Amino acid sequence: MIHPHVADALKAPDLVRLDHGLVLLRFESMKIYSALGAVRHLLDEGVVRPGQTLMDSSSGIYAYALALACHRYGMRCRIVASTTVDATTLAQLEVLGAEVEQVRPSSDLKLDQELRVRRVKEILDRHPDRHWMRQYHDAIHYLGYQEVADRIAEELPGRPLTLVGGVGSGASTGGLAERLRTQDSRVRVVGVQPFGSVTFGSQDHHDPEAIIAGIGSAIPFDNVRHHLYDTVHWMNFTHAMSGAVALLKEHAVFAGLSTGASYLAATHESRHRPDRVHVVIGADTGHRYVERVYARHAEALDIASLKPAEVATPAAMTMPWSVMAWNRSQASAAHRTEAA
């Protein structure tokens, strides 16, 4: 196939068998599917017009995806970025024509996310013609993953599936889950969260290495559909790093930190449910994590020796790794707050 644009080539994932019960869904950059689907839908519905400026807050992956989607469909792009955006991504954004503004540095992830959202609102007040994509809150980002879910179902028939991946904004694991369950209600969804994320109630647990970008949030996300999740894992940076290093060492897969966390969670789930195929979402490659993760590979733990604390409520969770049966419950009143 000759693709009409590089975004169409980059969005497509590879399915890689890790062992009998584990399959990796490996993306170059997963949110390209989400951004392309969202922008195409907005254009088709007349919500935005060609040449209009689309904007959002991002710590990196979605910024790149939105910049590619804007390039693909002839839109302008503006990103209010975290200071954690790496130099490689920042350079690509600028060359792609995106207008990038970084908020002031902050070691507090909640403050960083709040500053970015506040800045987006300030820009919109001055430029109401710009469209805020609201990746954290707009369910339009679910649409792009339907095609991926259909491919998973086609390539992995027979044994029941368990999807294991970072919760993040909810659109990736949630979008895949909703589509897969239209064909098989037995599909289980295991969400992975960092300590410090408010999404499933771990905001009172502080990880010295800070929140893991891409799979959790210090502010509420409206588009997380809690009832889609069967099980939730919380883990700290060191465990996620150990999962990423093990994935490279054991399977030669160079992937991001959220993939490492999901791989570790999936190895645990697979041992307890060997009758199932566990599909690990590999959201991005490891290039953004060379210094923070892979240069520290000597610090990685042997994942065969690790196991989570099994807890009955979020209040009972304990670091460095906890797991809880969520049982497709809605978020409790204690966890629901107004989204920023």
Side-chain angles (χ1 to χ4, degrees):
M1 175 184 293
I2 299 178
H3 297 284
H5 190 274
V6 71
D8 299 288
L10 291 175
K11 73 176 185 178
D14 298 306
L15 284 162
V16 181
R17 187 170 297 282
L18 304 178
D19 63 32
H20 181 65
L22 283 176
V23 171
L24 177 68
L25 185 67
R26 180 192 176 277
F27 288 88
E28 183 84 10
S29 186
M30 185 176 193
K31 289 188 177 180
I32 295 174
Y33 250 116
S34 179
L36 285 175
V39 173
R40 183 68 263 165
H41 180 80
L42 290 171
L43 285 166
D44 289 345
E45 295 296 311
V47 178
V48 299
R49 65 186 184 280
Q52 191 172 348
T53 298
L54 307 182
M55 65 180 300
D56 213 339
S57 157
S58 175
S59 60
I61 297 177
Y62 184 79
Y64 175 61
L66 183 59
L68 282 175
C70 287
H71 192 279
R72 169 79 168 82
Y73 291 118
M75 313 294 289
R76 292 186 175 90
C77 180
R78 179 162 183 174
I79 301 295
V80 177
S82 168
T83 54
T84 61
V85 174
D86 63 287
T88 301
T89 300
L90 188 61
Q92 289 185 83
L93 293 175
E94 292 172 347
V95 174
L96 282 168
E99 184 180 353
V100 183
E101 174 184 344
Q102 291 180 281
V103 298
R104 69 176 187 266
S106 173
S107 59
D108 183 330
L109 262 292
K110 183 175 189 294
L111 178 59
D112 177 75
Q113 290 178 317
E114 288 177 344
L115 285 172
R116 285 188 273 134
V117 172
R118 190 185 310 160
R119 180 57 182 151
V120 168
K121 291 178 178 178
E122 289 173 355
I123 295 168
L124 288 171
D125 285 341
R126 295 202 313 270
H127 304 280
D129 59 318
R130 297 185 178 187
H131 182 83
W132 185 9
M133 294 298 293
R134 300 179 80 243
Q135 63 151 324
Y136 304 138
H137 309 307
D138 195 335
I140 195 173
H141 292 92
Y142 276 66
L143 299 175
Y145 295 113
Q146 294 180 0
E147 181 182 334
V148 186
D150 290 344
R151 184 180 168 201
I152 292 171
E154 180 182 350
E155 297 286 349
L156 297 170
R159 292 167 66 189
L161 299 178
T162 295
L163 188 68
V164 186
V167 175
S169 66
S172 55
T173 42
L176 291 170
E178 285 196 330
R179 182 70 168 188
L180 286 168
R181 283 181 182 158
T182 63
Q183 302 176 52
D184 187 351
S185 62
R186 299 174 301 166
V187 172
R188 298 185 73 251
V189 181
V190 175
V192 182
Q193 285 271 275
F195 288 101
S197 175
V198 305
T199 309
F200 282 88
S202 69
Q203 63 271 15
D204 294 331
H205 294 261
H206 176 63
D207 182 352
E209 294 273 10
I211 199 168
I212 301 169
I215 64 174
S217 171
I219 62 174
F221 285 172
D222 269 356
N223 66 5
V224 174
R225 298 173 181 172
H226 293 75
H227 67 276
L228 295 174
Y229 296 86
D230 295 280
T231 300
V232 179
H233 286 251
W234 297 268
M235 64 181 67
N236 70 356
F237 171 84
T238 301
H239 277 55
M241 176 184 71
S242 300
V245 171
L247 186 59
L248 179 57
K249 183 181 294 184
E250 297 167 7
H251 302 288
V253 175
F254 184 52
L257 195 58
S258 69
T259 307
S262 299
Y263 175 63
L264 179 56
T267 59
H268 172 79
E269 295 290 328
S270 182
R271 286 194 296 269
H272 286 75
R273 296 177 183 267
D275 58 313
R276 289 178 161 266
V277 174
H278 292 74
V279 180
V280 181
I281 295 178
D284 60 353
T285 66
H287 296 87
R288 296 199 306 148
Y289 305 92
V290 172
E291 291 185 7
R292 189 180 176 198
V293 175
Y294 290 100
R296 297 169 55 181
H297 63 87
E299 301 173 33
L301 306 173
D302 177 7
I303 67 168
S305 67
L306 305 178
K307 67 177 183 178
E310 298 186 11
V311 300
T313 67
M317 76 176 69
T318 180
M319 296 177 71
W321 182 12
S322 290
V323 61
M324 173 185 161
W326 192 261
N327 296 324
R328 306 191 187 186
S329 300
Q330 295 286 355
S332 69
H335 300 147
R336 287 196 298 267
T337 55
E338 183 179 354

